Amino acid sequence: MTAADEHDAEHGDAEHGDAEHGDAEHGDSLTARDLAPQRRARIRAIVESRRAARLEELSVALGVSQATVRRDLDELEAEGLVRRVHGGVIAVDERTGEPHFEVKAAEAAEEKERIAARAVAMLAPDDTVYLDSGSTVLAAARLLRGWDRLTVVTNSLPAIVELAGRGPRLIVIGGEFRATSQALVGPLSQHLLQNIHVATAFIGSYAVSLDDGLTTTDPAEAFTKKLALERASQVVLLADSRKMGEHSFVHAGQLESVDVLVTDTGIDEGIVRSLERRGITVIKA
Amino acid sequence: MTAADEHDAEHGDAEHGDAEHGDAEHGDSLTARDLAPQRRARIRAIVESRRAARLEELSVALGVSQATVRRDLDELEAEGLVRRVHGGVIAVDERTGEPHFEVKAAEAAEEKERIAARAVAMLAPDDTVYLDSGSTVLAAARLLRGWDRLTVVTNSLPAIVELAGRGPRLIVIGGEFRATSQALVGPLSQHLLQNIHVATAFIGSYAVSLDDGLTTTDPAEAFTKKLALERASQVVLLADSRKMGEHSFVHAGQLESVDVLVTDTGIDEGIVRSLERRGITVIKA
DNA sequence: CGTTATCTGTCAAGAACTGTCACAACCGAG
DNA sequence: CTCGGTTGTGACAGTTCTTGACAGATAACG
């Protein structure tokens, strides 16, 4: 191993020396061979364009021996520009790791679950309920597994997947799929929605304020949410206390449409009184 | 996105003598074998697109021995990217991280995939296409990943899950969820469906007969299928040859509504002639 | 002009990869 | 429950790839 270190160190010095030599160029155009930095640039270009290359190919393409290519690749790998594998080299991008980043769900899971459970307790076994998008409402959806006399209407893809074939009769409103909220929203959702009516709607909201009512970040989302509010006899808003008093971009419903708010114990008492004055029953789970 | 390289082609044997010490000065490397990471990436792609694969298939597709495939699968399983089962390998759901179909779902998969590929080849990048329920159409849906200028309208839950957030604009018709077909069907589906129109519809069918046209097992399913047929300028029927000549319970559409049939080479020539006499273009994939 | 340092190609030993084989484990049919 | 065919496992051998050492070649420096 010490031998290897020594070798690498020498190699490093060589690198610098060569670079310096680079700007003192003699116009020696007769050299049939690339200088080392040029050669490495060509290797990078080849590897990047093809995503991978085998030693043999590079050796032929550059007109040098495989040993030289190896040394170049060692250097390039040390700089993190490529990744050596048995038999050749692959571009760094091609790593097989896990690129997903969608794991914020477990955040306030426990709180959401208490809220969800309290809301679900309001349902009768043979009710018809609308489930909006959003993580808190999704938690409620999970609790409805096995309720085989229930009818669920929803626009939330996770809720659909959660309940598909697992008890409740499942009705999906149509619409355009929006990736951010994983829900079906927009003008197209009105066609089916206008033809149905549900006893209870579980609504989630990005933000709730006394002045602006329900607000959310996306117009299409707001459109569908508003429509859903109108199609329910009883509207139950599921929102943890951090969402209270906040407001977002687009108006998504009047506070007057809401009959019940299920939230957590962290809610401000002043807000509770204001809401109750407006005829909203507040339940702290 | 993922370099969908299809540089298979020449895996005759190309193993032994020919790639000797640097004599191949004919530029291109015709006999290039995949590097191990490339090979594993291809295995992932195949398994993911089909949900499952048998060892034999992978071995043939990649041009390596089954032993090598096994070792690769061991590696991939250790990384949690696939799950090995007796006889082959199944994909793991990226979201939930757990199982999917059975290996035997991949039995006729190759045939379905060829049909699907042939059908997809008929689409333009910015088309609007309706995807019906059914496994063959689902295979087509998988091929549409990354088509980010396409608009997809569908009633198939697996198709939705497959395409959600992965390229195409996704529009879901509403309706009642039917577990057997994993699709949204029934009268409620008409409300949105009646308000849209698509250039092309990919339709699956449980059975196709010259006398009864398209038939299926469920009335609600039939209702929605019929409606979808009317909303498309061009109707493409995807059905393997075993479905030809069969008939099921409920009428789900006239043969006259169909413009193109994409099927496999096993179809009876007499049936082909009858269909073509009726103005249907028959494509054998 | 000679010396020195670096770079490059060749070589041999060792490691890694792949395919083949024999045998154990498993599955479905009767 | 047994049986026959299929699939998985471990060991082996052949091949390819890598590593480190060495020697010749090239260019910089005094």
Side-chain angles (χ1 to χ4, degrees):
Chain A
M1 286 311 178
T2 43
D5 288 343
E6 197 173 83
H7 177 68
D8 279 347
E10 285 174 4
H11 208 79
D13 284 347
E15 182 63 32
H16 293 309
D18 190 65
E20 285 174 3
H21 170 63
D23 32 33
E25 53 191 310
H26 297 357
D28 196 351
S29 56
L30 290 177
T31 44
R33 210 172 15 234
D34 288 332
L35 263 35
Q38 288 178 290
R39 201 177 48 224
R40 292 186 190 145
R42 289 184 62 190
I43 291 177
R44 284 186 60 186
I46 292 173
V47 171
E48 227 152 275
S49 71
R50 311 236 299 252
R51 314 299 297 165
R54 125 180 321 269
L55 224 74
E56 158 95 29
E57 298 171 339
L58 292 172
S59 164
V60 172
L62 302 175
V64 297
S65 74
Q66 297 194 14
T68 301
V69 176
R70 277 181 220 285
R71 284 186 271 252
D72 285 339
L73 292 181
D74 288 344
E75 193 63 33
L76 290 172
E77 184 174 40
E79 295 174 36
L81 298 170
V82 301
R83 182 166 152 224
R84 293 273 276 111
V85 297
H86 191 93
V89 59
I90 60 179
V92 285
D93 187 322
E94 192 143 279
R95 55 183 306 275
T96 53
E98 52 284 292
H100 282 296
F101 47 87
E102 198 180 338
V103 200
K104 65 186 176 192
E107 212 165 89
E110 203 168 322
E111 205 161 64
K112 288 177 200 293
E113 251 166 61
R114 276 204 308 277
I115 294 174
R118 191 62 190 76
V120 167
M122 300 170 66
L123 298 177
D126 55 356
D127 257 340
T128 297
V129 61
Y130 179 85
L131 301 182
D132 191 26
S133 58
S135 54
T136 311
V137 177
L138 178 58
R142 297 211 179 90
L143 298 174
L144 297 176
R145 282 191 185 182
W147 288 48
D148 50 10
R149 287 160 58 203
L150 195 72
T151 298
V152 169
V153 183
T154 187
N155 74 329
S156 160
L157 179 56
I160 295 167
V161 171
E162 199 65 47
L163 292 175
R166 286 181 172 150
R169 191 157 82 108
L170 185 58
I171 294 186
V172 178
I173 77 166
E176 179 165 350
F177 179 76
R178 180 168 177 257
T180 311
S181 59
Q182 297 272 307
L184 305 171
V185 298
L188 286 171
S189 62
Q190 74 183 304
H191 298 112
L192 193 149
L193 217 35
Q194 278 170 352
N195 283 280
I196 60 169
H197 186 90
V198 299
T200 306
F202 286 176
I203 303 291
S205 184
Y206 194 76
V208 183
S209 89
L210 292 170
D211 303 327
D212 300 331
L214 281 54
T215 51
T216 188
T217 55
D218 181 73
E221 193 106 21
F223 177 90
T224 300
K225 204 181 290 281
K226 264 189 201 177
L227 227 50
L229 290 174
E230 295 169 10
R231 312 309 305 166
S233 303
Q234 181 189 37
V235 172
V236 180
L237 184 62
L238 282 66
D240 62 73
S241 60
R242 276 170 308 208
K243 289 170 180 168
M244 310 306 300
E246 297 292 313
H247 59 92
S248 184
F249 178 46
V250 198
H251 183 70
Q254 311 271 351
L255 265 188
E256 281 67 32
S257 316
V258 177
D259 298 294
V260 180
L261 166 66
V262 184
T263 186
D264 57 81
T265 51
I267 189 173
D268 183 85
E269 272 306 319
I271 295 182
V272 172
R273 276 191 295 274
S274 300
L275 290 170
E276 287 178 336
R277 240 191 329 266
R278 298 223 209 170
I280 298 176
T281 306
V282 178
I283 298 177
K284 286 173 277 191
Chain B
M1 310 220 349
T2 48
D5 345 78
E6 294 287 343
H7 50 287
D8 35 25
E10 52 275 310
H11 15 69
D13 37 271
E15 279 311 296
H16 296 84
D18 53 20
E20 271 314 303
H21 289 65
D23 294 334
E25 37 204 68
H26 305 309
D28 260 358
S29 49
L30 291 172
T31 60
R33 202 166 62 200
D34 284 334
L35 264 26
Q38 289 179 297
R39 202 178 46 225
R40 298 198 185 127
R42 289 183 61 190
I43 291 177
R44 280 187 64 186
I46 291 173
V47 171
E48 214 160 285
S49 75
R50 294 204 199 145
R51 297 275 100 123
R54 336 196 89 249
L55 234 72
E56 163 87 33
E57 296 174 323
L58 292 172
S59 166
V60 172
L62 303 175
V64 297
S65 74
Q66 296 194 13
T68 300
V69 175
R70 279 181 218 284
R71 284 186 270 251
D72 283 340
L73 292 180
D74 288 343
E75 190 66 30
L76 290 172
E77 184 173 41
E79 294 176 38
L81 299 169
V82 302
R83 172 140 171 252
R84 294 207 51 194
V85 295
H86 192 89
V89 57
I90 60 180
V92 300
D93 193 315
E94 296 167 26
R95 293 175 161 79
T96 68
E98 264 305 303
H100 247 305
F101 288 40
E102 292 296 322
V103 177
K104 71 177 184 181
E107 293 290 275
E110 206 164 322
E111 202 161 69
K112 288 179 200 293
E113 220 168 275
R114 273 204 307 277
I115 294 175
R118 192 62 190 75
V120 166
M122 299 170 66
L123 297 177
D126 55 356
D127 258 340
T128 298
V129 60
Y130 178 86
L131 300 183
D132 191 25
S133 58
S135 54
T136 310
V137 178
L138 178 58
R142 296 205 182 97
L143 298 175
L144 297 176
R145 280 191 185 183
W147 288 48
D148 51 10
R149 287 161 57 204
L150 196 72
T151 298
V152 169
V153 183
T154 187
N155 73 329
S156 159
L157 179 56
I160 296 166
V161 170
E162 199 64 47
L163 291 176
R166 287 186 172 147
R169 192 157 82 109
L170 186 57
I171 292 176
V172 178
I173 76 166
E176 179 165 351
F177 178 77
R178 180 168 178 257
T180 311
S181 59
Q182 297 273 306
L184 306 171
V185 298
L188 285 171
S189 63
Q190 73 184 304
H191 297 110
L192 192 150
L193 217 35
Q194 277 171 353
N195 283 278
I196 61 168
H197 185 89
V198 299
T200 306
F202 285 176
I203 302 291
S205 184
Y206 193 77
V208 182
S209 89
L210 292 170
D211 303 329
D212 300 332
L214 281 55
T215 50
T216 187
T217 56
D218 180 72
E221 192 103 21
F223 177 89
T224 300
K225 203 180 291 279
K226 263 189 203 176
L227 228 49
L229 290 175
E230 295 169 10
R231 311 307 308 164
S233 303
Q234 181 189 38
V235 172
V236 180
L237 184 61
L238 282 65
D240 62 73
S241 60
R242 276 169 309 213
K243 289 170 180 167
M244 309 308 300
E246 298 291 313
H247 57 93
S248 182
F249 178 46
V250 199
H251 183 69
Q254 311 271 351
L255 224 37
E256 281 66 33
S257 316
V258 177
D259 298 294
V260 180
L261 166 66
V262 184
T263 186
D264 56 81
T265 51
I267 188 172
D268 183 86
E269 272 306 316
I271 295 181
V272 172
R273 275 191 294 275
S274 302
L275 290 171
E276 287 178 338
R277 247 195 317 272
R278 297 222 211 169
I280 298 176
T281 306
V282 177
I283 297 177
K284 285 174 277 193

